[in-house]
Amino acid sequence: MPLFQRRDAGDDGWTVEPMGNGETCRRRVRMERLGNILPHHREVLEAAAREEGRSLEEYVAWVANLSSDRMHATRDRIMNGVAGEREATLYGCWLEARAAVQEVQYPIEVRPGKYAWRGR
């Protein structure tokens, strides 16, 4: 079993992941929201994209599609002092990029046994 796992919900672009409490959420990337990334975070992301030979759009799409497990592993490296300052700065920019371009929804029970998705 891979260390970082997620399930694709289908051809509609939604990715479904379990949350820490055992429930699920779904998310999809909305690249038209790329302009919502704050300028000082955008500069760091552009530099990282150039280092990897990617466009900003490709890099942000990659970041937005990282699994929560992968993000948590990076966060834990930072909190445990294993990661350097550059990785910590980049992680903060990843969080900003994800918040800007991801649409996230959570299931809510609308009546007994019937659920609908709701989110931002």
Side-chain angles (χ1 to χ4, degrees):
M1 179 161 96
L3 180 60
F4 306 115
Q5 187 175 25
R6 66 174 206 251
R7 298 187 316 245
D8 290 328
D11 294 333
D12 57 1
W14 290 103
T15 299
V16 178
E17 280 192 312
M19 296 186 300
N21 63 3
E23 295 184 20
T24 59
C25 71
R26 71 180 187 173
R27 59 184 171 78
R28 66 180 167 183
V29 178
R30 305 281 304 270
M31 290 307 291
E32 67 271 14
R33 297 179 179 177
L34 191 64
N36 294 345
I37 299 173
L38 297 175
H40 59 282
H41 290 135
R42 187 181 183 107
E43 290 173 12
V44 173
L45 293 166
E46 286 173 339
R50 274 192 305 275
E51 286 177 15
E52 294 193 14
R54 299 181 186 189
S55 68
L56 176 64
E57 292 79 9
E58 291 170 328
Y59 188 77
V60 169
W62 173 77
V63 168
N65 283 305
L66 290 173
S67 69
S68 295
D69 288 342
R70 169 67 191 274
M71 291 297 289
H72 292 159
T74 303
R75 177 205 60 200
D76 292 347
R77 285 177 42 80
I78 294 164
M79 291 174 60
N80 293 328
V82 177
E85 186 176 328
R86 182 184 184 285
E87 188 174 355
T89 300
L90 193 54
Y91 176 75
C93 294
W94 285 2
L95 292 174
E96 169 66 24
R98 288 166 66 93
V101 301
Q102 280 186 347
E103 179 179 2
V104 181
Q105 294 184 342
Y106 305 92
I108 58 167
E109 193 168 17
V110 292
R111 61 180 175 258
K114 177 70 175 167
Y115 291 85
W117 292 98
R118 182 167 183 165
R120 62 168 181 85

